[in-house]
Amino acid sequence: MYILYILRTNGPTRFGALKPKVEGISTRVLTERLRMLEGAGLVYWEYEPTVPPQVTYGLTERMKDLGEVLDRLDAIAQHWYEQDRTEIDSAS
């Protein structure tokens, strides 16, 4: 989900720029996740045979259809975060 969120908020992103934004993930695991998302029809990739090669990832139209769902999940997560902070502050 976080990879999709980053691609949605940043637009098409080269692999080298995407990796630091997804903290705590190895290159191998990020590559596997991107291939899985591509297989599901949610992410596309473009290869440019430059030196060094450039691979850019972006969201497909299918994934763009789910944008409102991601926005709602983000709003819920932020709401829960604020609730948890309020409860912790109240208990202190």
Side-chain angles (χ1 to χ4, degrees):
M1 291 300 293
Y2 191 63
I3 295 168
L4 295 172
Y5 175 78
I6 289 174
L7 289 174
R8 183 159 190 273
T9 56
N10 293 296
T13 306
R14 290 179 46 191
F15 186 88
L18 181 60
K19 181 157 182 339
K21 293 179 182 180
V22 185
E23 295 179 20
I25 192 169
S26 69
T27 300
R28 183 178 67 81
V29 172
L30 178 58
T31 300
E32 288 173 0
R33 297 300 183 266
L34 287 166
R35 286 180 182 158
M36 181 185 69
L37 292 167
E38 181 190 5
L42 303 177
V43 169
Y44 70 86
W45 66 279
E46 292 178 355
Y47 173 79
E48 294 179 42
T50 59
V51 177
Q54 295 180 11
V55 178
T56 303
Y57 290 90
L59 301 179
T60 63
E61 288 302 315
R62 173 179 273 186
M63 183 57 218
K64 289 178 184 176
D65 291 342
L66 294 172
E68 291 179 25
V69 175
L70 282 179
D71 289 342
R72 185 67 185 130
L73 287 172
D74 181 49
I76 290 169
Q78 289 180 26
H79 175 74
W80 287 354
Y81 175 77
E82 289 302 320
Q83 275 185 329
D84 291 347
R85 280 188 46 200
T86 301
E87 289 175 12
I88 290 170
D89 290 343
S90 296
S92 298

